[in-house]
Amino acid sequence: MQTEARVGVVVEGGGPRALNSNKQPPIRQQQQHSQIGTVSQLLAGGLAGALSKTCTAPLARLTILFQIQGMHSNVATLEKASIWHEASRIVREEGVRAFWKGNLVTIAHRLPYSSVNFYAYEHYKKVSSDDLLHMIPGLESHKERIGGDVFVHFLGGGMAGITAATTTYPLDLVRTRLAAQTNVLYYRGIGHALQTICREEGVLGLYKGLGATLLGVGPNIALSFSVYESLRSLWQSQRPDDHTVAVSLACGSLSGIASSTVTFPLDLVRRRKQLEGAGGRARVYTTGLFGIFKHIIKTEGFRGLYRGIMPEYYKVVPGVGICFMTYETLKVLLADLHATV
């Protein structure tokens, strides 16, 4: 999830930049963001998410493998695990291409997920700004606009993440199961995995772990949006001449680290829920969400909730940065293309 897709847009109008600087955004930049249409927005978001996931696929697979180790391994085995050891095992037993195992379904999932996420964020942000801020005491005045902007970004990001995750969840589950396979291939591809899960676990099996996903993805993307927007606005108010791509890359990476740290335990639980009963294996957890947390802490310690956090950090810094940077760049390119047609 993590991100999973996070997105940033330029803060316009009366946002932090306007409060901290007498300079107005260039007219050309305003036109670019106003002229980009729905299709272009969806295309930019989808391509940004797909490129980001493809570039960081090896680290994403390592994260998943670490997250699920505690399901079927004893504590002594877990203590010996390391990123280098697991990466070497993959190369030795499965080959280098195995780092991208499940990447096809990741792209198939990420294209619609990121498209819906980006588009929903823009929509929810506008609705929140227009209809909700005036209902919240203290945020309706121009003086408190910075707080209002943060609230809009947080609420819009959370709602967008929930919308995108719910819409594309079965593909996310299939991607996790394909990436978790090592030497034994129980699922032979996207179609075979969908058919097998429906046959063995029922249609509801495609939505295993959705509750934990929604609990995690809402605050994850909300934090990512609000941190990204706040950092980006502050940066541009202090250094307005810095290149947009560099600013997006830096602020996107920092926002990814912040959101991943806060929501990683929920992401770990959702991965384990997604793999319950996979490949004909017996169920490990027989309780609800909080019962799983208690089980992990009891058997693996508190550190067990953050198993796989290091490859996640290594992934999220370039991954989120690439996603933000690509999205912002494509928006400008598509706006320029629209203007010339």
Side-chain angles (χ1 to χ4, degrees):
M1 161 184 49
Q2 295 303 67
T3 341
E4 302 306 67
R6 302 157 177 102
V7 56
V9 291
V10 173
V11 178
E12 301 177 44
R17 180 169 48 186
L19 288 174
N20 292 291
S21 174
N22 293 325
K23 294 182 180 180
Q24 296 298 319
I27 295 176
R28 181 171 177 270
Q29 188 179 31
Q30 288 180 331
Q31 290 176 340
Q32 286 172 338
H33 287 274
S34 63
Q35 289 178 354
I36 187 170
T38 300
V39 175
S40 297
Q41 238 175 14
L42 292 172
L43 181 62
L47 290 176
L51 177 62
S52 170
K53 284 294 182 180
T54 300
C55 291
T56 59
L59 288 166
R61 185 166 186 233
L62 284 170
T63 298
I64 291 174
L65 291 175
F66 273 102
Q67 285 179 323
I68 64 173
Q69 278 181 340
M71 292 181 70
H72 305 287
S73 303
N74 58 44
V75 177
T77 302
L78 296 176
E79 293 299 325
K80 299 176 182 177
S82 69
I83 296 175
W84 175 251
H85 179 271
E86 187 62 22
S88 300
R89 184 202 62 76
I90 292 173
V91 173
R92 183 176 64 254
E93 298 180 5
E94 305 175 60
V96 175
R97 291 180 58 186
F99 281 114
W100 281 266
K101 185 179 286 186
N103 191 57
L104 181 60
V105 69
T106 297
I107 294 174
H109 166 257
R110 191 51 49 173
L111 282 169
Y113 178 93
S114 294
S115 296
V116 172
N117 195 26
F118 278 82
Y119 180 74
Y121 173 67
E122 302 281 8
H123 174 74
Y124 288 137
K125 189 183 73 168
K126 184 177 185 302
V127 171
S128 299
S129 181
D130 292 345
D131 300 335
L132 296 181
L133 279 185
H134 70 280
M135 300 171 58
I136 303 174
L139 292 183
E140 69 279 0
S141 67
H142 185 73
K143 277 195 258 188
E144 300 294 333
R145 187 63 184 176
I146 292 180
D149 282 334
V150 172
F151 173 79
V152 167
H153 301 150
F154 189 88
L155 182 63
M159 293 173 66
I162 290 172
T163 301
T166 304
T167 304
T168 61
Y169 188 77
L171 284 172
D172 183 40
L173 181 136
V174 169
R175 177 246 175 173
T176 298
R177 295 202 175 183
L178 290 177
Q181 295 184 137
T182 52
N183 295 324
V184 179
L185 299 182
Y186 192 81
Y187 304 109
R188 296 193 298 270
I190 301 174
H192 180 258
L194 289 169
Q195 291 177 359
T196 304
I197 294 168
C198 287
R199 184 177 66 252
E200 296 181 353
E201 305 168 51
V203 176
L204 291 179
L206 294 173
Y207 292 88
K208 279 186 176 179
L210 179 60
T213 298
L214 296 183
L215 282 175
V217 76
N220 181 286
I221 297 183
L223 280 169
S224 189
F225 273 120
S226 53
V227 171
Y228 173 82
E229 297 273 22
S230 300
L231 287 175
R232 192 172 192 274
S233 298
L234 178 62
W235 189 318
Q236 291 186 327
S237 69
Q238 301 297 321
R239 301 174 62 91
D241 296 327
D242 285 355
H243 198 283
T244 303
V245 172
V247 174
S248 296
L249 189 62
C251 295
S253 299
L254 291 173
S255 72
I257 291 173
S259 58
S260 292
T261 301
V262 173
T263 61
F264 190 82
L266 274 170
D267 187 58
L268 179 140
V269 169
R270 87 181 180 92
R271 292 295 187 197
R272 296 193 179 186
K273 287 290 289 182
Q274 286 178 332
L275 289 164
E276 277 279 72
R281 284 189 171 185
R283 290 172 60 88
V284 177
Y285 307 112
T286 57
T287 59
L289 186 64
F290 292 105
I292 296 174
F293 275 111
K294 288 176 62 177
H295 183 275
I296 292 173
I297 293 173
K298 181 180 178 180
T299 58
E300 305 172 49
F302 183 78
R303 290 177 58 187
L305 295 175
Y306 283 89
R307 191 170 303 285
I309 190 67
M310 290 312 298
E312 175 69 16
Y313 281 153
Y314 298 150
K315 177 195 75 174
V316 82
V317 171
V320 179
I322 290 169
C323 190
F324 276 122
M325 179 184 67
T326 304
Y327 180 63
E328 298 288 359
T329 303
L330 286 175
K331 282 173 68 177
V332 173
L333 292 176
L334 291 171
D336 286 340
L337 182 63
H338 178 81
T340 59
V341 174

